[in-house]
Amino acid sequence: MHRALSSRWLNTALNIAEHPRRVELPLFLCPSINLVSHRQRLGTVASSTGVPTSRWRVQHRCLHVQAEAPTETLPLPDNDPKKLFSIKRLPKQCSGCGAFSQTTSPNQPGYFDLSRKAVRNYLQPQGRDRSRREDKIYEDALKQFDHEELKKKGVDVEALLLGIVPPEKNQRPPPKVPLCDRCHTLLHNHSGESIYHPSIETIRDTIFESPYKYNHVYHVLDAADFPMSLLPRLSELLDMMPLRTKNRRSRGGKFYGNRKTEISFVITRCDLLAPTKPQVDRLFPYLQEVLRDALGRTGRNVRLGNMIAVSAKRSWWTKELKEDIWKRGGAGWMVGKANVGKSQLFEAVFPKGRMESTPSKHQITVDMHAKTSNEEPASVENGDTQSELEQEETETQAIEDIGEGLDEFSLLPPAPKETNYPEMPLVSDLPGTTASPIRIPFGNGRGELIDLPGLERTGLEQHVKKEHRLSLIMHSRIVPEQMTLKPGQSLLIGGFIRITPREPAPIMLTYAFTPIEAHVTRTDKAIGIQNQTGEVNIENIAVPGTGEKTKLAGSFQLKWDVTKARTGPLTRKDAVGLSVDRLPYRVLSTDILIEGVGWVEVTAQVRTKDLFRQKPTSEPPRTEEPQEPQEPRQLSALERLEALAEEPKKKKKPLPPPVTEPTESDEPNWPIVDVYSPEGKFISHRKPMNGWLLNKPKVSAESRKSRPRRSMKGMKKLEKKRRREREAAATAPSASF
């Protein structure tokens, strides 16, 4: 009987019924619901409802919505053994992925399995500990004895009473808010499915729904393939948050529609670029120049003083960014592509433990807390079935009121209650972990930080076997191996990306800053391995059939001169100090980027006369026809007098040489590499960073002093020579006799 009643109360608290409440939410908040199957289930009933249409794709999901008071305890019968349990409700959103809580679709984000131990402990936390109940029995036993008699017998009663732990110190801490089943599997089993990625229009419309007057967008970029993680069609966002130009009268920001929105570029995971923080700081001008080139015409005249390079893993510049978020207040938006490190950066820069701060007067007032109801919850009398039914109706009505108050077409979920140390978003290697915007307020209403779902970064993982997809992510800094590409050889990355120098090609040095294996082989073998037709025992991590989709991703020139950085003491001022123009060679380089994976540095040394040699043309040179000499025109007497008068005053300056437009023949003979990838995508290039000089293996003092190992080949030859001499010396005396 008690078990049946408790299950009934649990169903009431969780709003589990035969016909649960239907809440309409946009695709951005609930991206994984199959709309077709829902329409088939509703049938003609759905068509009869007068739900207004929207420009967004509307989805229906059976949600569980949090009641008005999340920690409210319902009064239970005195004779019920469940009296010691307080009934809670699931949160509105999963704190790990931001998906709305639901108990109907097990394969979708936000699903909570009520039979899971963590969920059961959260919904029905134990009010008293077992040790406290044992102490209660011990106390009752002591009360039955006469303390004076015990003292006469030599028993220290005060010491016995002091050994009892007070009830307020013996309470268990409140249970931790559980994650949904999808986040639980990602956290402990590292497996799961990505969610639907929003578009740039959806991100823009979500920012427009901000309730704050001051907004700041933090565009998060990944250092592993910088700047390939730059948002596509970024100009659509820059229309409402323009960058500050180089003009000295340019302002930092403007108000549009009584709202000010600014943008900053945050390069995360900078510990992948160099081993120390000072080395990364010296790369800042290089990163600015590369970002300026990636912005195109937009980046020509902007200052880019709003760029910062951080590392959440090693706490580089995260404290400064946290203080910047705190001083700005308002809404801070984490925007970027999937799996660039937004959630990890979110946890590192969120200003925790600052609820005692005075809220700003310049922000729009936003209600961060749940509404308190004026009506008191109905009580359940002992053994009264009618009162239990009234309690169920009261709970159901409260949930319906909450559901009707929810804006069903809003892209921005409601703000949660502010706490000093809230639950942070889940950090996972799976791209697309965040399913919905996660709003976390801070500073007693000063502002909030919002983690938005990432845009689709790359489809390269779809061409890789499932067991190798996690290996595409660069987790730590790579110390590459120097590989030599001779003419007729190619470099394979993972067996399905090929880098081939175009003939005639010089000898090239390659450095693969990628987490997947690189291999040098002959070009004909590399083509067979990439097309999955060769019999060479080299692993290709691509799914079967990818070789048929392999196309040329691009031909990239090694057009950046790195001679001064590569020649060492020859061009160093404190050594020989030669000028680069006096050297008979040039060192050229470029970085080949693989989206979401890393980069490959390609370097070649070319003779100067071969680099600037005129390219042979197929057309024969044009012969100019001899022109007849023209007789000079005779000047009149008046013109001769004027010329004589002007000659001593000023001398005629020689005319400047005619400006000739550069042609293909004036272009140097840059070395070229051809890159082949699945569908001819996921590849780009940038100015070289000289990553090998920053990350090459250290040469210790011991290795410099030690002698190189002696060649065994020379020892074998010497042994053969000595053996022949001994044999010749042994045969010489016998021949003399």
Side-chain angles (χ1 to χ4, degrees), residues 67-82:
E68 296 178 356
T71 58
E72 178 183 336
T73 304
L74 298 179
L76 299 177
D78 295 335
N79 57 353
D80 198 303
K82 301 286 185 177

Side-chain angles (χ1 to χ4, degrees), residues 219-223 225-231 336-337 340 457:
H219 184 3
V220 183
L221 304 171
D222 190 8
D225 59 349
F226 179 78
M228 289 194 74
S229 53
L230 195 70
L231 287 180
K337 290 188 177 181
V340 296
R457 184 178 186 182

Side-chain angles (χ1 to χ4, degrees), residues 606-619:
V606 185
R607 292 180 64 88
T608 306
K609 63 178 183 180
D610 294 337
L611 181 62
F612 297 101
R613 179 181 298 171
Q614 188 175 4
K615 298 180 180 179
T617 56
S618 57
E619 299 180 1

Side-chain angles (χ1 to χ4, degrees), residues 204 207-208 210 212-215 235-244 251-263 364:
R204 181 175 180 175
I207 298 175
F208 275 148
S210 171
Y212 285 90
K213 184 178 181 180
Y214 297 96
N215 298 269
S235 58
E236 298 183 10
L237 282 179
L238 296 180
D239 290 342
M240 65 176 184
M241 51 189 89
L243 298 173
R244 190 176 182 185
R251 295 183 178 180
K254 298 180 181 179
F255 281 88
Y256 292 92
N258 199 23
R259 184 178 298 170
K260 184 179 180 181
T261 307
E262 297 176 328
I263 188 172
I364 296 177

